[in-house]
C-alpha cells in the first residue's frame, strides 16, 4: 500500500520494524472508541506525523469496508486493508493481475503484478495516478516510458509492455526487481571497499549505456539503484527514469 514504509521493489529491515510498529498502533487505535483515538494516536506516534497519517488512513480504510468492521481487529490482515484502500488490488489491467501497491511517486503508482498470458511472470506495473492525467504529467510519464524503451542493459530495469486502462490511464510494465537500495545492501553484507567498488562498476556501465543512447537519468540515488540476487550473485539495477532528459532526440510530442 502506498505510504506504508514500502519501497518500489522490496522492503528493508528498518521498514519491516516500522510496519510492525504501525500495525500494533493501528490495532490498538481501532479497538478504542472513536472519540478516544485522537488522543491515543498523539501519545502513541510520539510526534511522527507521517506515521500518524498512515495509521489514520488505515483506520479510514477499515471503517469504509463493512466486511472489515465485522472482522475481529486482531484478524485483519495487511492484505485486507490494502484491498480496501486500493480498489485495483486483485483486479486485472489487460493481462496483468494486480497483487499490491509497492511504491508511489509524484505522478504514478507502482504495483506488484502477475502477467497471466501469454506467459506467466511477476512484473512491476507503473500506472499514472487518477486525476494526474494532465498534458504535462502524461508527457513526463511517456518520457520515462520512451527512455526505458531505448535502452537494453542487464543493469537497467527493462520495459516489457505498455498500454492504457479502459479509462485511458497510461501504464507501462517493467521487470520486477526484488532488491534493496545499494547502500543498504553494502552495509547489510558488510562489504569491503573493494567489494563496494566492484558492485558499483556495473551501475557505471549502465549509466554509460544510457548516455550513449542520449539519456541522462538525473536522479541517481541509493533508492534508485536496487540490488537483487541473481544466480547467486548480487545484481544492481537502475530504476526510475521519471525525470530523465534526452540530449539528442525528442522523447514525446
Amino acid at each position: 500500500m502506498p505510504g506504508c514504509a514500502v519501497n518500489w521493489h522490496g522492503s528493508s529491515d528498518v521498514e519491516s520494524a516500522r510496519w510492525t510498529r504501525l500495525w500494533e498502533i493501528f490495532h490498538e487505535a481501532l479497538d478504542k472508541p472513536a472519540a478516544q483515538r485522537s488522543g491515543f494516536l498523539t501519545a502513541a506516534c510520539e510526534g511522527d506525523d507521517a506515521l500518524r497519517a498512515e495509521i489514520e488512513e488505515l483506520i479510514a480504510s477499515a471503517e469504509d469496508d463493512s466486511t472489515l468492521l465485522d472482522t475481529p481487529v486482531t484478524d485483519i490482515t495487511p492484505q485486507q486493508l490494502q484491498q480496501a484502500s486500493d480498489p485495483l488490488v486483485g483486479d486485472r489491467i489487460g493481462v496483468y493481475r494486480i497483487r499490491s501497491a509497492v511504491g508511489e511517486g509524484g505522478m504514478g503508482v507502482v504495483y506488484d503484478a502477475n502477467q497471466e498470458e501469454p506467459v506467466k511472470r511477476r512484473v512491476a506495473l507503473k500506472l499514472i495516478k487518477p486525476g494526474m492525467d494532465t498534458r504535462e504529467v502524461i508527457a513526463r510519464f511517456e518520457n520515462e516510458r520512451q527512455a526505458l524503451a531505448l535502452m537494453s542493459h542487464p543493469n537497467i530495469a527493462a520495459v516489457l509492455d505498455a498500454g492504457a486502462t479502459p479509462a485511458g490511464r497510461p501504464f507501462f510494465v517493467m521487470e520486477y526487481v526484488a532488491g534493496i537500495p545499494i547502500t543498504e545492501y553494502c552495509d547489510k553484507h558488510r562489504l569491503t571497499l573493494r567489494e563496494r567498488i566492484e558492485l558499483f562498476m556495473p551501475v557505471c556501465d549502465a549509466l554509460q549505456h544510457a548516455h550513449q543512447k542520449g539519456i541522462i537519468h538525473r536522479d541517481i540515488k541509493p533508492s534508485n539503484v536496487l540490488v537483487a540476487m541473481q544466480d547467486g550473485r548480487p545484481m544492481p539495477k537502475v530504476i526510475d527514469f521519471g525525470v530523465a532528459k534526452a540530449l539528442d532526440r525528442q522523447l514525446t510530442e
Side-chain angles (χ1 to χ4, degrees):
M1 172 168 26
C4 287
V6 178
N7 69 32
W8 276 28
H9 302 290
S11 58
S12 68
D13 293 340
V14 173
E15 289 166 342
S16 178
R18 188 172 188 275
W19 170 254
T20 299
R21 181 184 174 213
L22 179 151
W23 197 237
E24 290 173 349
I25 296 174
F26 160 74
H27 276 305
E28 289 189 52
L30 197 61
D31 218 21
K32 293 183 180 297
Q36 297 179 15
R37 287 177 188 158
S38 179
F40 168 75
L41 290 176
T42 298
C45 295
E46 300 176 329
D48 189 335
D49 293 337
L51 179 66
R52 178 169 182 160
E54 291 170 7
I55 294 171
E56 289 175 339
E57 182 181 346
L58 291 176
I59 292 172
S61 297
E63 291 179 332
D64 287 343
D65 190 324
S66 59
T67 61
L68 292 183
L69 289 179
D70 294 335
T71 303
V73 64
T74 53
D75 293 339
I76 297 176
T77 66
Q79 290 74 22
Q80 285 176 293
L81 280 172
Q82 193 168 62
Q83 178 72 57
S85 63
D86 191 330
L88 282 179
V89 174
D91 286 350
R92 277 179 52 137
I93 296 178
V95 298
Y96 303 100
R97 179 77 62 182
I98 303 300
R99 291 162 47 97
S100 64
V102 294
E104 181 176 0
M107 61 182 178
V109 179
V110 178
Y111 292 96
D112 177 0
N114 285 334
Q115 181 177 349
E116 297 184 334
E117 55 180 289
V119 297
K120 297 182 183 296
R121 58 183 168 183
R122 190 177 185 182
V123 298
L125 186 148
K126 187 169 185 178
L127 177 66
I128 201 166
K129 288 180 180 178
M132 294 293 290
D133 50 349
T134 65
R135 183 184 181 119
E136 178 183 358
V137 171
I138 290 177
R140 283 186 58 195
F141 196 85
E142 181 66 15
N143 189 78
E144 179 180 7
R145 192 162 69 176
Q146 291 297 329
L148 284 167
L150 288 172
M151 296 176 289
S152 178
H153 192 280
N155 298 103
I156 296 176
V159 168
L160 305 175
D161 194 9
T165 67
R169 291 165 61 191
F171 68 85
F172 63 91
V173 180
M174 302 166 287
E175 65 173 303
Y176 185 91
V177 182
I180 60 178
I182 189 168
T183 49
E184 184 180 325
Y185 179 90
C186 290
D187 293 341
K188 182 177 181 179
H189 294 272
R190 298 182 178 180
L191 300 191
T192 64
L193 178 59
R194 182 181 183 86
E195 289 171 332
R196 290 170 189 247
I197 292 173
E198 289 176 345
L199 183 64
F200 190 64
M201 286 174 64
V203 179
C204 298
D205 288 339
L207 295 177
Q208 173 67 4
H209 173 78
H211 295 167
Q212 289 174 334
K213 298 291 185 180
I215 305 295
I216 301 178
H217 189 287
R218 301 202 299 181
D219 194 23
I220 290 296
K221 56 188 177 184
S223 60
N224 283 339
V225 182
L226 301 181
V227 180
M229 298 304 294
Q230 183 172 313
D231 298 327
R233 296 176 59 85
M235 170 69 78
K237 293 270 188 178
V238 178
I239 65 169
D240 197 356
F241 281 74
V243 294
K245 180 178 178 64
L247 294 180
D248 59 357
R249 70 189 75 200
Q250 184 174 344
L251 292 177
T252 59
E253 295 296 329

